[in-house]
Amino acid sequence: MPTVNATVPTEDGVCAVTLHTPAEHGSWPAVIVYPDAVGVRETFSAMADRLAGLGYAVLLPDVYYRAGEFAPFDIATVFGDPAERNRLFSLMQSLTTERVVRDANAFLEFLAGRPEVSGDRVGTTGYCMGGRISLIVAGNRPDRIAAAASFHGGFLAVADEPDSPHLLADRTAANVLVAGAENDDSFPPDQQERLEQALTAAGVRHSVEIYPAQHGFAVPDAPAFDAAASERHWTALADLYAKSLGT
């Protein structure tokens, strides 16, 4: 798929992004893809291409741009190496809610000025850490986010956590899709129930499902990648966007 390399000025610096579009000339509804904790890499570029092929202009941002250049992580070994795990967690913790929202505002402004983008209704999707970000952005920009998805996202409805995404339910206007992984300590049954109750009470159109797969099921280079669950996620994502954004 055609890909544009660009930079987006933010309040904190300059974020490198790629914009993936369908092969034919035109303009399409926009989608922002938030990667998992390991960050942007070839796997996510391929996923952005596949999403673009469904009829969307897909923005893939380097969410760790504040760190400058750093050695990429090896997803197969990062969690088993204490030093690498600590380095990764430090980057993850740098993405505060305030920073995530500031970045999203910049991304939305960038998309609004692109000829490849049609309309102002935008979708988000995210994986692992990115699933949490996807819901945070939807809750903070209800004027723009029409559809928000989270796949094997963690810490989506944490009790006594002031920045927990479930507390944004009454500010969310998007159609929401959450697909968790079974036996996932980052999104256990109590969080599943808490999120479901919050979205229902707020009148948010939503689906909260648990796939019979492990954390990381949708990302092809993840050790827990599950082909059947991944295809299920693509089908669900395509349906969400078709209903919420059109093509």
Side-chain angles (χ1 to χ4, degrees):
M1 294 296 171
T3 302
V4 174
N5 293 291
T7 56
V8 176
T10 76
E11 292 186 30
D12 300 322
V14 177
C15 178
V17 302
T18 51
L19 185 66
H20 305 247
T21 58
E24 63 273 14
H25 181 74
S27 60
W28 303 270
V31 171
I32 304 172
V33 173
Y34 289 102
D36 61 22
V38 180
V40 172
R41 55 195 185 276
E42 182 56 37
T43 287
F44 275 96
S45 294
M47 293 173 70
D49 278 346
R50 178 165 177 175
L51 189 51
L54 298 178
Y56 302 98
V58 181
L59 186 74
L60 178 61
D62 174 13
V63 294
Y64 293 143
Y65 71 91
R66 293 176 182 85
E69 293 188 15
F70 62 90
F73 295 99
D74 182 344
I75 194 170
T77 61
V78 62
F79 294 104
D81 182 325
E84 283 292 87
R85 185 173 64 248
N86 289 340
R87 186 166 71 96
L88 178 66
F89 285 178
S90 178
L91 284 172
M92 292 173 61
Q93 290 164 4
S94 73
L95 293 180
T96 64
T97 294
E98 291 77 12
R99 286 180 168 182
V100 163
V101 174
R102 289 202 300 266
D103 288 351
N105 291 338
F107 300 154
L108 291 170
E109 183 176 354
F110 171 81
L111 290 170
R114 296 296 305 192
E116 302 94 336
V117 173
S118 64
D120 62 358
R121 293 166 61 81
V122 175
T124 61
T125 187
Y127 302 82
C128 178
M129 172 191 76
R132 176 183 167 93
I133 292 175
S134 177
L135 299 188
I136 288 172
V137 172
N140 280 275
R141 289 303 305 265
D143 57 318
R144 295 291 304 280
I145 306 304
S150 168
F151 295 99
H152 44 81
F155 309 104
L156 306 182
V158 181
D160 302 321
E161 168 54 65
D163 287 331
S164 181
H166 79 286
L167 298 177
L168 297 170
D170 62 354
R171 296 166 53 187
T172 299
N175 292 335
V176 171
L177 167 64
V178 173
E182 65 181 3
N183 303 318
D184 187 345
D185 289 342
S186 71
F187 190 51
D190 66 304
Q191 287 193 45
Q192 297 164 23
E193 182 179 1
R194 191 174 295 115
L195 180 62
E196 175 72 48
Q197 290 176 348
L199 293 171
T200 298
V204 176
R205 290 169 291 179
H206 69 279
S207 174
V208 178
E209 304 177 7
I210 302 301
Y211 286 14
Q214 301 305 304
H215 184 89
F217 62 76
V219 180
D221 69 352
F225 174 69
D226 185 300
S230 179
E231 287 305 312
R232 178 178 172 184
H233 123 270
W234 282 114
T235 298
L237 193 58
D239 182 62
L240 173 72
Y241 289 155
K243 291 178 178 178
S244 308
L245 303 175
T247 56

